[in-house]
Amino acid sequence: MNAAVILAAVMLAALVIYSLFGGPDYGAGFWDLMCSGPRRQDQRDLIASAIQPVWEANHIWLILVVVLTFSGFPAVFSWISLGLAVPIFLILLGIVLRGSSYVFRAYFTGSIRTQLFCGKIFSISSSITPLFLGIVIGAISSDAVIVKDGVSENGFLGTWFHPFPLIVGMLSLSLFAYLSACYLTIETNDASLQNDFRNRALTSGLVSIIFAVLTYVVAGDSARPIRDGLSRVPYVWLIELGAVIAALVAFHALWSRRYLRARMAAAAQVALIVTGWGVAQYPCLVRPELTIFNSAAPSNILSDLEIAVAVGALVLIPSLILLLSVFKTQRKSISAVADTTLD
Amino acid sequence: MDNFIAARSQMGMSLAFHIIFAAIGVSLPLMMTIAEWRWRSTGDPAYLVLAKRWAKGTTILFAIGAISGTVLSFELGLLWPRFMQYAGAVIGMPFSLEGFAFFTEAIFLGIYLYGWNQVPGWFHLFSGIIVAISGVLSAIFVTLVNGWMNTPTGFDVVAGKFEKIHPLVAMFNPAGIPEAIHMVLAAYTAAGFATAGIHGWLLLRRGRNRFDEVAIGIALLVGGGAVLLQSVSGDALARMVAAKQPMKLASLEGQFQTETGAPFRIGGLPFPDKRETKFAIEIPHGLSLLSFHTPNAVIKGLDQEPESDWPNVRMVHICFQIMVGCGSLLSLFAVAAGWLSWKKRTLINHPRFLKALVFVSPLGFVALEAGWMVTELGRQPWIIYHLMRTKDAVTSMPNVTITFLAMTAVYVILGTIVVWLLSRHVIAAPERKQLAHQGVL
């Protein structure tokens, strides 16, 4: 197999992992915004405790995608940075505001009003960022981003401000919210809290299905090639079928309150949707002009990058397993007190 | 504001903030690990409190550094798309490796924070060492990219494009390693002296206490040790610049005419229109000696290149003087402190010593910022030295001023948060029970 295709596959895998781990962090922020009912504060506390220990690590997957894009497919990075400068800038602003307000809220001990204000910034920026991440995905899937001699042919709004990218943006926000609600059901033992998030998972799951159908319909007007990609290639059909089955399993499990199964099925569903998009997009990276083949860096660079990724994975995977096992024992024991006495 | 100026301002502003976060983030893990090692070998609880405090500081800085690093990786494309289009493939390797170093740091920081009672003591200490090493590696990888922009190697230029790229040759470009070592030592110097200074000030206010004393001990050891090594590293870097970027050397020394046995200038103000540097104390043959280790070596002056290709000579020269001046003062302080504490052990509680320490403590950061100004302004007008001009790399996007203002606001907020959190969680006085009863830790 071609080195460029392998690197693109690695990037897609990183994107899938980012959706599965980083996505629910955004979704949790969205639910933080939507907290309501008598258990509002309990819901917020659950969200805060669920994303606390690992949130910094999750964003590294996005950085990996960015770095591999500019090293392996420099033209793609350059085109996206130019043509989609506005949504990219908003993503950036969202990540910064989200991260900093979260850190601040986590350690802030002063007035309750400041804490609430930080919480608002955190939840609003958490909701906006996946919207624009989806918009970028939608924009590079429709034939809008074209850069000639360093100038974007469709300007800085025309590249993304049309129905298809906007609906993909809504789709990704609803998927992340759905995924997050499914994850949150098993972060607590309180049955009524579990029930709150179960109902949210069901609602947001339904909303995401509506947006998925809408995406397909709107693609008929403005993003014909990706729609053809979604319906033509046989592998894509299999992946789509898998996603549908996973969705049905997840809904059934949520309905019958089997939360662990729901969580796994929902994760499989989102992973298959992202993978399906990637395969349908093949061989393009930025439709219509940039493909994996015409934008790739020379093959010796690609293979060097792949060796670096492989060596990195060899170091990281055992370390990650070790970290997770430390977390697990830490959650079981009550020694968490050890850290709080220092505050 | 002109788009090009706005883009340069935004990049410069982002880097100026990021380098502060990064320098603290690189140094705190080392100090934290030393503190834990001292605790494990002496059993003194003050060291344990310190290790936990610095671990918390590392966590905060790691989170803020991750945010600001994400901003920079996007800004490379948002502001300089053409640079990334041509150079992305060449400099991708160190950036990718930096990503992995960062990931390793995240994982072992997690183990360090949550593993106090879960993993064996030696392994906990080992995790701290890994955090410290991977932080340093991140700094090295990123600085290697800057080195490449100064001394680009590892490719052939064919018809305006990079061909036959060798990522490893590009990564180990001539400027890379000397610059990276200089940067790591600068980070230790800046954060070490700043931490020691803060605790010195607190010691003056709070009166004698074990917590501030041991903090000063470790911080000063790290900062003072680093600044003494810095003179060796600075010499290596200067000789590299003399050999590979003679025009940069000329502008940082204010050397307008090519000269045999050129003097070393202390202070002074370059007048580019008159082609001379006035008011400087000149040490005869000094520059030739320092740059090539022979007194009569030829130093190329700015006259070798058209004036349109000069950097802002005045700014570069002034920043260089500031950097060298601060570094020398700190070295003097380190030598004096070392000698005095060897003679008389109670030095740390001497008010005059503490006042002097507080006075010099910000100079490390001043030198760090000034040093980056020298590197970055001294490279202009090139983004890739002698290959691509900065103005040819800038984005065609209009209204960069807006993003510049927005990002400035964001960084000011980030900076405020860091200062507030560090003062609340890292340097605040520990409660008495934490020192008296080790059990509650």
Side-chain angles (χ1 to χ4, degrees), chain A residues 153-216:
Chain A
E153 296 220 321
N154 288 321
F156 295 93
L157 288 178
T159 43
W160 60 276
F161 198 76
H162 48 94
F164 184 73
L166 295 176
I167 288 174
V168 177
M170 292 305 288
L171 174 65
S172 65
L173 175 59
S174 57
L175 277 176
F176 286 167
Y178 162 67
L179 199 55
S180 169
C182 289
Y183 283 16
L184 284 166
T185 52
I186 60 165
E187 295 288 335
T188 174
N189 295 319
D190 182 337
S192 51
L193 268 182
Q194 283 184 328
N195 207 46
D196 286 348
F197 284 107
R198 164 195 178 253
N199 295 341
R200 281 166 197 186
L202 286 169
T203 317
S204 52
L206 279 174
V207 171
S208 71
I209 288 174
I210 294 171
F211 279 115
V213 174
L214 263 179
T215 309
Y216 196 78

Side-chain angles (χ1 to χ4, degrees), chain A:
Chain A
M1 206 196 240
N2 184 304
V5 179
I6 296 175
L7 192 69
V10 171
M11 283 159 54
L12 183 61
L15 201 60
V16 169
I17 300 174
Y18 184 60
S19 310
L20 293 186
F21 293 102
D25 284 356
Y26 291 121
F30 174 76
W31 292 124
D32 192 271
L33 191 65
M34 296 289 156
C35 279
S36 60
R39 286 175 296 278
R40 188 190 300 183
Q41 196 50 46
D42 295 339
Q43 292 169 0
R44 291 222 166 96
D45 292 344
L46 174 63
I47 289 167
S49 75
I51 56 176
Q52 189 158 24
V54 279
W55 77 270
E56 302 101 327
N58 288 339
H59 279 284
I60 298 174
W61 296 106
L62 180 64
I63 299 183
L64 185 66
V65 175
V66 169
V67 168
L68 290 182
T69 307
F70 71 59
S71 332
F73 306 97
V76 170
F77 186 68
S78 178
W79 281 37
I80 292 178
S81 299
L82 258 173
L84 299 174
V86 175
I88 295 276
F89 179 71
L90 292 170
I91 289 173
L92 204 51
L93 210 57
I95 290 177
V96 173
L97 288 178
R98 178 182 187 283
S100 50
S101 59
Y102 181 79
V103 176
F104 193 64
R105 190 176 67 158
Y107 290 98
F108 187 74
T109 44
S111 86
I112 220 76
R113 279 185 60 183
T114 319
Q115 282 191 29
L116 285 176
F117 179 69
C118 283
K120 269 279 177 296
I121 292 183
F122 166 72
S123 48
I124 291 172
S125 49
S126 293
S127 312
I128 288 174
T129 313
L131 185 71
F132 284 100
L133 280 171
I135 285 176
V136 168
I137 295 286
I140 62 174
S141 311
S142 48
D143 294 347
V145 183
I146 300 168
V147 174
K148 286 268 144 50
D149 298 324
V151 176
S152 170
E153 296 220 321
N154 288 321
F156 295 93
L157 288 178
T159 43
W160 60 276
F161 198 76
H162 48 94
F164 184 73
L166 295 176
I167 288 174
V168 177
M170 292 305 288
L171 174 65
S172 65
L173 175 59
S174 57
L175 277 176
F176 286 167
Y178 162 67
L179 199 55
S180 169
C182 289
Y183 283 16
L184 284 166
T185 52
I186 60 165
E187 295 288 335
T188 174
N189 295 319
D190 182 337
S192 51
L193 268 182
Q194 283 184 328
N195 207 46
D196 286 348
F197 284 107
R198 164 195 178 253
N199 295 341
R200 281 166 197 186
L202 286 169
T203 317
S204 52
L206 279 174
V207 171
S208 71
I209 288 174
I210 294 171
F211 279 115
V213 174
L214 263 179
T215 309
Y216 196 78
V217 174
V218 174
D221 285 340
S222 58
R224 197 85 213 179
I226 188 89
R227 177 160 155 176
D228 294 346
L230 282 170
S231 29
R232 211 181 290 141
V233 194
Y235 305 113
V236 185
W237 269 110
L238 281 176
I239 295 170
E240 283 168 8
L241 188 68
V244 169
I245 293 171
L248 290 174
V249 172
F251 269 74
H252 179 259
L254 280 171
W255 192 257
S256 53
R257 297 193 161 78
R258 290 193 189 103
Y259 296 126
L260 189 63
R261 186 188 292 176
R263 175 180 180 150
M264 286 161 67
Q269 179 192 343
V270 171
L272 287 168
I273 289 173
V274 178
T275 314
W277 164 78
V279 178
Q281 179 83 332
Y282 182 87
C284 288
L285 289 171
V286 178
R287 280 182 188 275
E289 287 203 4
L290 294 184
T291 67
I292 291 176
F293 306 103
N294 69 16
S295 69
S299 64
N300 69 315
I301 291 185
L302 299 178
S303 50
D304 284 356
L305 279 173
E306 282 152 17
I307 292 169
V309 169
V311 172
L314 272 181
V315 177
L316 286 177
I317 290 170
S319 319
L320 207 54
I321 292 171
L322 185 70
L323 175 70
L324 291 176
S325 71
V326 170
F327 271 136
K328 253 184 199 149
T329 44
Q330 201 250 354
R331 284 204 175 172
K332 276 182 199 151
S333 73
I334 39 167
S335 62
V337 186
D339 235 53
T340 51
T341 49
L342 272 174
D343 288 326

Side-chain angles (χ1 to χ4, degrees), chain B residues 155-397:
Chain B
F155 55 83
D156 295 339
V157 178
V158 179
K161 282 193 166 182
F162 293 123
E163 302 269 335
K164 290 190 188 157
I165 301 168
H166 298 285
L168 291 177
V169 178
M171 190 163 122
F172 293 105
N173 58 80
I177 290 293
E179 236 188 69
I181 294 173
H182 203 60
M183 172 62 227
V184 172
L185 290 173
Y188 285 153
T189 306
F193 273 98
T195 311
I198 289 167
H199 284 282
W201 182 66
L202 292 171
L203 201 55
L204 285 169
R205 279 188 42 180
R206 291 173 185 161
R208 283 201 67 167
N209 71 82
R210 189 86 186 118
F211 176 67
D212 288 326
E213 285 172 16
V214 295
I216 292 178
I218 295 176
L220 213 48
L221 189 73
V222 169
V227 80
L228 293 179
L229 292 173
Q230 197 65 297
S231 51
V232 182
S233 141
D235 172 64
L237 190 54
R239 280 188 289 140
M240 187 287 301
V241 172
K244 301 284 176 188
Q245 295 178 284
M247 289 305 110
K248 194 171 181 177
L249 182 80
S251 52
L252 53 90
E253 279 294 334
Q255 182 78 35
F256 288 96
Q257 269 80 37
T258 304
E259 197 174 343
T260 316
F264 181 71
R265 295 182 184 79
I266 299 173
L269 196 61
F271 289 84
D273 45 339
K274 292 179 186 154
R275 305 270 192 279
E276 65 176 317
T277 301
K278 290 182 180 170
F279 317 122
I281 304 167
E282 299 196 349
I283 298 170
H285 300 276
L287 186 56
S288 296
L289 258 176
L290 282 173
S291 310
F292 296 98
H293 290 191
T294 44
N296 286 320
V298 178
I299 299 292
K300 286 183 184 160
L302 285 159
D303 55 6
Q304 305 267 326
E305 214 162 291
E307 190 171 349
S308 55
D309 282 355
W310 291 1
N312 185 334
V313 180
R314 190 174 274 186
M315 279 291 282
V316 174
H317 179 74
I318 291 173
C319 289
F320 183 68
Q321 299 302 313
I322 293 175
M323 179 188 78
V324 173
C326 292
S328 310
L329 256 176
L330 288 175
S331 305
L332 253 172
F333 185 88
V335 170
W339 187 73
L340 285 172
S341 67
W342 181 58
K343 282 279 183 198
K344 189 178 164 199
R345 292 198 156 261
T346 52
L347 173 76
I348 228 163
N349 279 304
H350 204 291
R352 221 178 292 160
F353 169 77
L354 289 177
K355 279 177 189 157
L357 174 62
V358 173
F359 179 73
V360 298
S361 64
L363 296 185
F365 275 109
V366 174
L368 179 68
E369 294 285 0
W372 274 111
M373 299 285 270
V374 172
T375 320
E376 296 297 271
L377 292 177
R379 196 191 59 235
Q380 304 301 331
W382 307 97
I383 191 166
I384 308 172
Y385 203 63
H386 285 170
L387 282 177
M388 181 189 266
R389 282 168 200 275
T390 315
K391 68 176 165 57
D392 296 332
V394 73
T395 180
S396 60
M397 187 180 71

